[in-house]
């Protein structure tokens, strides 16, 4: 296959833990051709969706781990597969990119994850489709509703709908002296929609990242355990990642969601589960391949490339 990957600048990748790098390394090991481009390099000319791109060779060395070929322009339909691995934020430019990628699909390109699914699955709001697996949840622009929800449940988590890596997440109680200030700042006087969830005490044992590949669960998750005194387990917020086998409840959630997500064009999904509850459905650029593989011995990248090869 000639595999085109849309990603962040190569020099920004931390290859010792980056999941996109793990995908590319496994694809190269199997003899597939690697091509890379950034989101801003996608363009349309004479009706054809194209991209400025470069062939990538992995050197196996650090810090100079890659070599790039000459820049060329190629219609996206000419690649065997196009992987959308641009990290959040999901801003307007990302939205425009999904529209261009969907146009490329109409011209014959095979894009993973499916551009329409990337738009349809806000990583916070997607859990509303699976309420049987979620803790009590409120989505609102009204600060007073947050106050009432906090009064009802006593201990809640407030999170923005466009955050990543734990950014902008607050743990609140009705008696918090900063409650009013936090709501004013985060909700911008009712101009910004937020999600509020009942606090799940099992976060102390980890916020589990469960990977679904082509509808099937990787048998190990990464439990991201918060630092002492910290609410957030995100690795970007200092959480410690510990690979562990899926628990019975994890399998129940994965088996229920896997076929539905696959049917909507999502080849790779990262479910976030705390205790018994689904908290997020991550579809933009799910991570944790290398951490799970290094600790468990299960080759996540191989499972992913197997699934990608089955599409062709």
């Amino acid at each position: 296959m000639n595999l085109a990957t849309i990603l962040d600048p190569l020099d920004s990748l931390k290859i010792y833990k980056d999941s996109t790098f793990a995908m590319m390394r496994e694809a190269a090991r199997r003899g597939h051709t690697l091509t890379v481009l950034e989101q801003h390099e996608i363009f349309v000319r004479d009706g054809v969706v194209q991209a400025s791109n470069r062939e990538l060779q992995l050197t196996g060395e650090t810090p100079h781990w890659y070599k790039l070929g000459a820049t060329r322009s190629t219609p996206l339909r000419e690649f065997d597969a196009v992987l959308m691995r641009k990290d959040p934020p999901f801003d307007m430019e990302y939205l425009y990119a999904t529209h261009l990628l969907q146009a490329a699909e109409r011209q014959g390109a095979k894009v993973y994850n499916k551009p329409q699914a990337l738009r349809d699955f806000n990583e916070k709001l997607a859990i509303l489709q699976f309420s049987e697996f979620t803790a009590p949840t409120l989505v609102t622009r009204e600060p007073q509703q947050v106050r009432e929800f906090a009064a009802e449940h006593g201990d809640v988590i407030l999170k923005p709908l466009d955050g990543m890596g734990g950014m902008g997440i607050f743990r609140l109680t009705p008696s918090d002296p900063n409650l009013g200030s936090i709501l004013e700042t985060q909700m911008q006087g009712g101009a910004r929609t937020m999600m509020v969830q009942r606090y799940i005490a099992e976060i102390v044992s980890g916020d589990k990242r469960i990977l679904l590949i082509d509808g099937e669960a990787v048998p190990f998750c990464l439990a991201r355990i918060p630092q002492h005194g910290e609410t957030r387990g995100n690795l970007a917020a200092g959480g410690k990642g510990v690979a562990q086998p899926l628990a019975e409840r994890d399998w129940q959630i994965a088996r229920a969601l896997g076929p539905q997500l696959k049917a909507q064009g999502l080849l790779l999904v990262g479910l976030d589960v705390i205790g018994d509850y689904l908290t997020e459905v991550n579809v933009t650029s799910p991570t944790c391949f290398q951490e799970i593989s290094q600790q468990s011995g299960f080759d996540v990248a191989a499972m992913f490339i197997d699934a990608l090869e089955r599409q062709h």
Side-chain angles (χ1 to χ4, degrees), residues 89-107:
F90 192 117
D91 55 15
M92 290 305 297
E93 287 300 322
Y94 192 102
L95 177 67
Y96 300 150
T98 66
H99 285 290
L100 295 182
L101 290 171
Q102 191 168 13
E105 281 187 318
R106 293 192 291 269
Q107 296 170 4

Side-chain angles (χ1 to χ4, degrees), residues 206-279:
D207 179 353
K208 293 177 284 189
R209 167 58 55 85
I210 300 170
L211 294 171
L212 299 179
I213 298 175
D214 200 23
E216 300 292 330
V218 172
F220 295 87
C221 65
L222 192 74
R224 297 160 296 174
I225 301 171
Q227 293 185 28
H228 180 69
E230 173 63 78
T231 298
R232 302 166 300 170
N234 309 75
L235 300 182
K240 177 184 178 183
V242 178
Q244 54 190 230
L246 298 193
E248 182 178 349
R249 177 64 167 179
D250 301 333
W251 280 113
Q252 182 184 4
I253 294 171
R255 287 170 175 151
L257 271 62
Q260 298 181 58
L261 298 173
K262 175 182 176 179
Q264 296 192 59
L266 293 164
L267 183 67
L268 174 62
V269 178
L271 305 179
D272 287 350
V273 173
I274 301 174
D276 289 338
Y277 299 103
L278 176 71
T279 60

Side-chain angles (χ1 to χ4, degrees), residues 21-47:
F21 174 77
M23 296 173 184
M24 296 192 299
R25 180 176 58 193
E26 177 62 18
R29 189 188 69 78
R30 299 185 187 198
H32 300 308
T33 300
L34 302 179
T35 298
V36 293
L37 60 134
E38 294 182 33
Q39 178 179 281
H40 67 87
E41 294 179 301
I42 304 169
F43 66 96
V44 180
R45 183 166 183 173
D46 298 329

Side-chain angles (χ1 to χ4, degrees), residues 53-70:
N53 62 90
R54 294 150 297 283
E55 187 171 322
L56 173 76
Q57 292 185 337
L58 303 180
T59 67
E61 303 172 359
T62 52
H64 306 295
W65 58 271
Y66 67 86
K67 292 181 180 179
L68 292 175

